[in-house]
Amino acid sequence: MSPYEAVVLAGGAARRLGGADKPAVPVGGRTLLARVLAACADADRTVVVGPRRPTPGRTVVWTREQPPGGGPLPALDAGLRATQGPLVAVLAADQPFLTPAHLATLRAAVPDDADGVLLRDRTGRDQPLTAVYRTDPLRRELALAVAEYGTLTGLPLHIVLSGLHLRRLASDDTLDCDTWADIAAARARIRDHGQVLDEWIAAVKAELGIDPDVDTKALLDTARDAAHSVARPAAPLSTFLIGYAAALHGMSPLEAAAKVSDLAHRWSEESAGDRNAEGTGDTRGTGSGRP
Protein backbone atom coordinates (compact mmCIF):
# COMPACT_ATOMS: atom_id res chain seq x y z
CA MET A 1 0.00 0.00 0.00
CA SER A 2 1.23 3.49 -0.82
CA PRO A 3 2.95 5.45 1.97
CA TYR A 4 1.12 8.49 3.29
CA GLU A 5 1.37 11.43 5.65
CA ALA A 6 -1.31 12.63 8.05
CA VAL A 7 -2.60 16.09 8.89
CA VAL A 8 -4.68 16.26 12.07
CA LEU A 9 -6.75 19.41 12.59
CA ALA A 10 -6.78 20.01 16.35
CA GLY A 11 -7.84 23.63 16.68
CA GLY A 12 -11.30 25.15 16.61
CA ALA A 13 -13.41 26.79 19.31
CA ALA A 14 -15.56 23.72 20.18
CA ARG A 15 -18.54 26.01 20.77
CA ARG A 16 -20.91 23.06 21.23
CA LEU A 17 -18.67 21.90 24.07
CA GLY A 18 -18.78 25.28 25.75
CA GLY A 19 -15.33 26.20 24.47
CA ALA A 20 -13.64 23.15 26.04
CA ASP A 21 -10.34 21.94 24.57
CA LYS A 22 -12.01 19.14 22.62
CA PRO A 23 -8.88 17.27 21.44
CA ALA A 24 -7.81 17.02 25.11
CA VAL A 25 -11.13 15.55 26.30
CA PRO A 26 -10.58 12.00 27.59
CA VAL A 27 -12.60 9.07 26.31
CA GLY A 28 -11.72 5.71 27.77
CA GLY A 29 -8.64 7.05 29.52
CA ARG A 30 -7.10 8.54 26.36
CA THR A 31 -7.62 11.97 24.87
CA LEU A 32 -9.46 12.30 21.59
CA LEU A 33 -6.25 13.54 19.99
CA ALA A 34 -4.28 10.53 21.27
CA ARG A 35 -6.88 8.19 19.80
CA VAL A 36 -6.66 9.80 16.35
CA LEU A 37 -2.85 9.75 16.49
CA ALA A 38 -3.01 6.02 17.29
CA ALA A 39 -5.15 5.48 14.19
CA CYS A 40 -2.51 7.06 11.91
CA ALA A 41 0.54 5.64 13.71
CA ASP A 42 1.88 4.16 10.45
CA ALA A 43 1.99 7.53 8.66
CA ASP A 44 5.44 8.58 7.44
CA ARG A 45 4.89 11.98 9.07
CA THR A 46 2.07 13.31 11.22
CA VAL A 47 1.37 17.04 11.34
CA VAL A 48 -0.92 18.38 14.05
CA VAL A 49 -2.43 21.82 13.47
CA GLY A 50 -3.33 23.47 16.75
CA PRO A 51 -2.00 24.38 20.19
CA ARG A 52 0.70 22.07 21.50
CA ARG A 53 -0.55 19.31 23.75
CA PRO A 54 1.09 16.21 25.27
CA THR A 55 1.41 13.31 22.82
CA PRO A 56 3.13 10.57 24.87
CA GLY A 57 4.90 8.04 22.70
CA ARG A 58 4.32 9.94 19.45
CA THR A 59 6.58 12.32 17.58
CA VAL A 60 4.54 14.82 15.61
CA VAL A 61 5.16 18.05 13.73
CA TRP A 62 3.28 20.98 15.27
CA THR A 63 2.06 23.97 13.32
CA ARG A 64 -0.64 26.65 13.59
CA GLU A 65 -2.98 28.21 11.10
CA GLN A 66 -2.72 31.94 10.52
CA PRO A 67 -4.57 33.57 12.04
CA PRO A 68 -5.23 31.07 14.86
CA GLY A 69 -8.88 30.16 14.85
CA GLY A 70 -9.24 31.14 11.20
CA GLY A 71 -11.20 28.03 10.30
CA PRO A 72 -10.60 24.67 8.63
CA LEU A 73 -9.11 25.93 5.36
CA PRO A 74 -6.26 27.95 6.93
CA ALA A 75 -5.60 24.96 9.21
CA LEU A 76 -5.55 22.58 6.26
CA ASP A 77 -3.23 24.90 4.35
CA ALA A 78 -0.83 25.13 7.32
CA GLY A 79 -0.81 21.36 7.67
CA LEU A 80 -0.13 20.73 3.99
CA ARG A 81 2.80 23.15 4.05
CA ALA A 82 4.51 20.76 6.49
CA THR A 83 4.00 17.68 4.30
CA GLN A 84 6.06 16.39 1.40
CA GLY A 85 4.48 13.22 0.04
CA PRO A 86 1.87 12.67 -2.65
CA LEU A 87 -0.83 11.23 -0.39
CA VAL A 88 -2.21 12.75 2.82
CA ALA A 89 -4.84 11.67 5.32
CA VAL A 90 -6.75 14.70 6.60
CA LEU A 91 -8.34 14.01 9.97
CA ALA A 92 -10.27 15.82 12.66
CA ALA A 93 -9.02 15.32 16.22
CA ASP A 94 -12.44 14.35 17.61
CA GLN A 95 -12.87 10.80 16.35
CA PRO A 96 -12.55 8.28 19.22
CA PHE A 97 -13.42 5.29 17.04
CA LEU A 98 -11.17 6.01 14.09
CA THR A 99 -8.91 3.01 13.52
CA PRO A 100 -5.92 2.07 11.36
CA ALA A 101 -8.35 -0.14 9.43
CA HIS A 102 -10.44 2.90 8.43
CA LEU A 103 -7.36 4.63 7.04
CA ALA A 104 -6.13 1.50 5.28
CA THR A 105 -9.54 1.16 3.61
CA LEU A 106 -9.49 4.78 2.50
CA ARG A 107 -5.96 4.58 1.14
CA ALA A 108 -6.73 1.41 -0.79
CA ALA A 109 -9.85 3.01 -2.27
CA VAL A 110 -8.22 6.05 -3.89
CA PRO A 111 -8.76 5.47 -7.63
CA ASP A 112 -6.07 6.38 -10.14
CA ASP A 113 -8.44 8.87 -11.77
CA ALA A 114 -9.62 10.58 -8.55
CA ASP A 115 -8.21 13.24 -6.24
CA GLY A 116 -9.13 11.40 -3.07
CA VAL A 117 -11.68 9.44 -1.09
CA LEU A 118 -13.71 10.41 1.96
CA LEU A 119 -16.11 8.66 4.31
CA ARG A 120 -19.84 9.25 4.18
CA ASP A 121 -21.32 8.41 7.58
CA ARG A 122 -24.49 6.48 8.31
CA THR A 123 -26.52 9.71 8.38
CA GLY A 124 -25.49 10.41 4.78
CA ARG A 125 -23.12 13.26 5.64
CA ASP A 126 -19.78 13.59 3.90
CA GLN A 127 -16.85 13.57 6.31
CA PRO A 128 -14.10 15.58 4.53
CA LEU A 129 -11.97 15.37 7.69
CA THR A 130 -11.99 11.59 7.55
CA ALA A 131 -10.40 11.35 4.14
CA VAL A 132 -7.31 10.63 2.08
CA TYR A 133 -6.36 13.10 -0.65
CA ARG A 134 -3.76 13.44 -3.33
CA THR A 135 -1.66 16.32 -2.10
CA ASP A 136 -1.09 18.23 -5.34
CA PRO A 137 -4.78 18.68 -6.29
CA LEU A 138 -5.55 19.77 -2.73
CA ARG A 139 -2.78 22.39 -2.83
CA ARG A 140 -4.01 23.54 -6.24
CA GLU A 141 -7.56 24.15 -4.99
CA LEU A 142 -6.31 25.99 -1.91
CA ALA A 143 -4.24 28.29 -4.13
CA LEU A 144 -7.25 28.91 -6.41
CA ALA A 145 -9.39 29.79 -3.38
CA VAL A 146 -6.80 32.33 -2.22
CA ALA A 147 -6.66 33.81 -5.73
CA GLU A 148 -10.46 34.12 -5.88
CA TYR A 149 -11.29 35.23 -2.34
CA GLY A 150 -8.04 36.82 -1.24
CA THR A 151 -7.98 34.74 1.96
CA LEU A 152 -8.83 31.32 3.34
CA THR A 153 -9.97 32.67 6.70
CA GLY A 154 -13.57 31.87 7.45
CA LEU A 155 -14.19 29.98 4.22
CA PRO A 156 -16.00 26.61 4.40
CA LEU A 157 -14.30 23.41 3.33
CA HIS A 158 -16.61 22.84 0.38
CA ILE A 159 -15.04 25.86 -1.40
CA VAL A 160 -11.96 23.70 -1.95
CA LEU A 161 -13.54 20.25 -2.09
CA SER A 162 -15.99 21.23 -4.83
CA GLY A 163 -13.06 21.50 -7.24
CA LEU A 164 -11.84 17.96 -6.52
CA HIS A 165 -12.92 14.70 -8.06
CA LEU A 166 -13.64 12.62 -4.97
CA ARG A 167 -14.91 9.14 -4.28
CA ARG A 168 -17.24 8.50 -1.32
CA LEU A 169 -17.13 5.40 0.87
CA ALA A 170 -20.23 4.61 2.91
CA SER A 171 -19.66 3.91 6.60
CA ASP A 172 -22.13 2.32 9.01
CA ASP A 173 -20.64 4.32 11.87
CA THR A 174 -20.50 7.91 13.10
CA LEU A 175 -16.93 8.60 14.13
CA ASP A 176 -16.84 12.18 15.40
CA CYS A 177 -17.94 13.84 18.65
CA ASP A 178 -19.45 17.31 18.42
CA THR A 179 -21.39 17.64 21.69
CA TRP A 180 -21.13 16.50 25.31
CA ALA A 181 -23.90 14.03 24.52
CA ASP A 182 -21.67 12.56 21.80
CA ILE A 183 -18.80 12.34 24.32
CA ALA A 184 -21.04 10.59 26.85
CA ALA A 185 -22.23 8.13 24.19
CA ALA A 186 -18.64 7.40 23.16
CA ARG A 187 -17.63 6.75 26.76
CA ALA A 188 -20.59 4.42 27.23
CA ARG A 189 -19.76 2.58 24.02
CA ILE A 190 -16.17 2.02 25.16
CA ARG A 191 -17.42 0.50 28.43
CA ASP A 192 -19.62 -1.94 26.52
CA HIS A 193 -18.82 -5.53 27.45
CA GLY A 194 -17.94 -6.46 23.88
CA GLN A 195 -14.97 -4.12 23.61
CA VAL A 196 -14.08 -2.87 27.09
CA LEU A 197 -11.14 -5.26 27.41
CA ASP A 198 -9.54 -4.21 24.11
CA GLU A 199 -10.06 -0.57 25.04
CA TRP A 200 -8.51 -1.12 28.47
CA ILE A 201 -5.46 -2.87 27.03
CA ALA A 202 -4.96 -0.08 24.49
CA ALA A 203 -5.21 2.51 27.26
CA VAL A 204 -2.71 0.64 29.45
CA LYS A 205 -0.22 0.30 26.58
CA ALA A 206 -0.53 4.01 25.82
CA GLU A 207 -0.11 4.90 29.51
CA LEU A 208 3.01 2.73 29.83
CA GLY A 209 4.48 3.81 26.50
CA ILE A 210 4.62 0.25 25.18
CA ASP A 211 3.11 -1.39 22.14
CA PRO A 212 3.65 -5.16 22.32
CA ASP A 213 1.70 -7.40 19.99
CA VAL A 214 -0.51 -8.97 22.66
CA ASP A 215 -2.59 -12.07 21.95
CA THR A 216 -5.35 -11.19 24.40
CA LYS A 217 -7.12 -14.54 24.07
CA ALA A 218 -3.94 -16.48 24.84
CA LEU A 219 -3.23 -14.41 27.94
CA LEU A 220 -6.82 -14.74 29.16
CA ASP A 221 -6.70 -18.48 28.58
CA THR A 222 -3.52 -18.65 30.65
CA ALA A 223 -5.08 -16.60 33.44
CA ARG A 224 -8.10 -18.92 33.39
CA ASP A 225 -5.85 -21.99 33.53
CA ALA A 226 -3.97 -20.55 36.51
CA ALA A 227 -7.19 -19.63 38.32
CA HIS A 228 -8.85 -23.01 37.77
CA SER A 229 -5.83 -25.28 38.09
CA VAL A 230 -4.00 -23.59 40.96
CA ALA A 231 -5.94 -20.90 42.86
CA ARG A 232 -7.91 -17.80 41.86
CA PRO A 233 -5.22 -15.30 43.02
CA ALA A 234 -2.76 -17.13 40.75
CA ALA A 235 -4.34 -15.49 37.69
CA PRO A 236 -3.22 -11.84 38.19
CA LEU A 237 0.11 -12.93 39.64
CA SER A 238 0.77 -15.20 36.67
CA THR A 239 -0.01 -12.50 34.12
CA PHE A 240 2.32 -10.11 35.96
CA LEU A 241 5.12 -12.71 35.87
CA ILE A 242 4.49 -13.31 32.16
CA GLY A 243 5.11 -9.63 31.49
CA TYR A 244 8.17 -9.59 33.72
CA ALA A 245 9.65 -12.63 31.98
CA ALA A 246 8.94 -11.18 28.55
CA ALA A 247 10.79 -7.99 29.50
CA LEU A 248 13.68 -9.73 31.26
CA HIS A 249 14.40 -12.47 28.72
CA GLY A 250 13.18 -10.85 25.52
CA MET A 251 10.67 -13.63 24.84
CA SER A 252 7.28 -12.90 23.35
CA PRO A 253 4.32 -12.62 25.76
CA LEU A 254 2.69 -15.46 23.81
CA GLU A 255 5.68 -17.75 24.41
CA ALA A 256 5.74 -16.89 28.12
CA ALA A 257 1.98 -17.41 28.35
CA ALA A 258 2.26 -20.83 26.70
CA LYS A 259 4.88 -21.90 29.25
CA VAL A 260 2.74 -20.79 32.18
CA SER A 261 -0.38 -22.39 30.74
CA ASP A 262 1.48 -25.68 30.30
CA LEU A 263 2.72 -25.43 33.88
CA ALA A 264 -0.83 -24.83 35.12
CA HIS A 265 -2.05 -27.94 33.30
CA ARG A 266 0.79 -30.02 34.80
CA TRP A 267 -0.02 -28.62 38.23
CA SER A 268 -3.66 -29.60 37.80
CA GLU A 269 -2.76 -33.09 36.63
CA GLU A 270 -0.50 -33.58 39.66
CA SER A 271 -3.24 -32.39 42.00
CA ALA A 272 -5.75 -34.72 40.40
CA GLY A 273 -3.29 -37.60 40.73
CA ASP A 274 -2.76 -36.81 44.40
CA ARG A 275 -6.49 -36.77 45.08
CA ASN A 276 -6.93 -40.10 43.32
CA ALA A 277 -4.02 -41.58 45.27
CA GLU A 278 -5.48 -40.40 48.56
CA GLY A 279 -8.72 -42.16 47.72
CA THR A 280 -6.95 -45.49 47.20
CA GLY A 281 -4.36 -45.12 49.94
CA ASP A 282 -1.58 -45.14 47.31
CA THR A 283 0.72 -42.15 47.95
CA ARG A 284 3.55 -43.14 45.66
CA GLY A 285 4.98 -40.21 43.74
CA THR A 286 3.16 -37.59 45.80
CA GLY A 287 6.07 -36.82 48.10
CA SER A 288 4.09 -37.84 51.19
CA GLY A 289 4.64 -41.60 51.23
CA ARG A 290 7.56 -43.86 52.02
CA PRO A 291 9.23 -46.29 49.59
Side-chain angles (χ1 to χ4, degrees):
M1 192 176 296
S2 300
Y4 77 108
E5 295 171 282
V7 170
V8 181
L9 305 190
R15 292 181 181 86
R16 284 188 279 180
L17 293 182
D21 183 8
K22 183 162 61 169
V25 171
V27 174
R30 292 185 290 161
T31 66
L32 289 172
L33 175 59
R35 287 177 166 275
V36 172
L37 292 179
C40 61
D42 61 342
D44 288 349
R45 172 192 300 239
T46 299
V47 180
V48 181
V49 186
R52 285 179 176 266
R53 304 173 180 90
T55 57
R58 282 298 303 274
T59 299
V60 303
V61 177
W62 290 96
T63 189
R64 290 302 306 268
E65 72 276 22
Q66 294 300 326
L73 285 187
L76 177 57
D77 183 58
L80 284 181
R81 290 177 186 276
T83 64
Q84 301 171 350
L87 205 62
V88 61
V90 177
L91 308 169
D94 64 351
Q95 305 181 83
F97 301 109
L98 186 70
T99 67
H102 286 118
L103 293 182
T105 298
L106 286 168
R107 289 160 59 202
V110 180
D112 292 339
D113 61 347
D115 297 323
V117 57
L118 55 80
L119 281 189
R120 175 172 284 168
D121 70 21
R122 64 185 177 189
T123 70
R125 290 187 307 159
D126 283 351
Q127 297 294 325
L129 301 183
T130 313
V132 174
Y133 300 98
R134 298 194 188 280
T135 310
D136 285 345
L138 200 51
R139 287 196 176 108
R140 179 197 69 216
E141 293 302 315
L142 285 165
L144 288 173
V146 171
E148 182 172 355
Y149 296 96
T151 181
L152 296 174
T153 301
L155 295 181
L157 272 172
H158 73 79
I159 292 290
V160 164
L161 299 184
S162 62
L164 299 174
H165 173 42
L166 299 174
R167 180 184 179 189
R168 272 79 174 168
L169 283 186
S171 172
D172 59 0
D173 205 351
T174 299
L175 298 175
D176 60 337
C177 290
D178 292 324
T179 66
W180 285 116
D182 293 339
I183 296 291
R187 288 170 171 167
R189 175 174 164 182
I190 280 170
R191 293 192 297 269
D192 179 76
H193 177 73
Q195 65 184 68
V196 66
L197 189 58
D198 288 340
E199 288 287 349
W200 169 248
I201 289 172
V204 169
K205 291 197 295 187
E207 186 72 16
L208 297 177
I210 59 175
D211 191 22
D213 186 11
V214 176
D215 188 327
T216 304
K217 183 178 183 301
L219 292 180
L220 287 177
D221 287 347
T222 298
R224 179 204 61 205
D225 291 340
H228 291 175
S229 302
V230 184
R232 192 164 298 277
L237 291 173
S238 297
T239 52
F240 164 76
L241 292 172
I242 286 168
Y244 187 87
L248 184 64
H249 300 302
M251 68 174 63
S252 73
L254 185 59
E255 180 185 358
K259 289 178 179 290
V260 173
S261 187
D262 183 60
L263 173 62
H265 285 303
R266 298 200 311 270
W267 185 292
S268 180
E269 289 168 0
E270 288 176 9
S271 298
D274 287 347
R275 288 193 296 271
N276 291 336
E278 289 171 2
T280 62
D282 183 358
T283 58
R284 288 175 295 177
T286 65
S288 59
R290 295 178 182 272

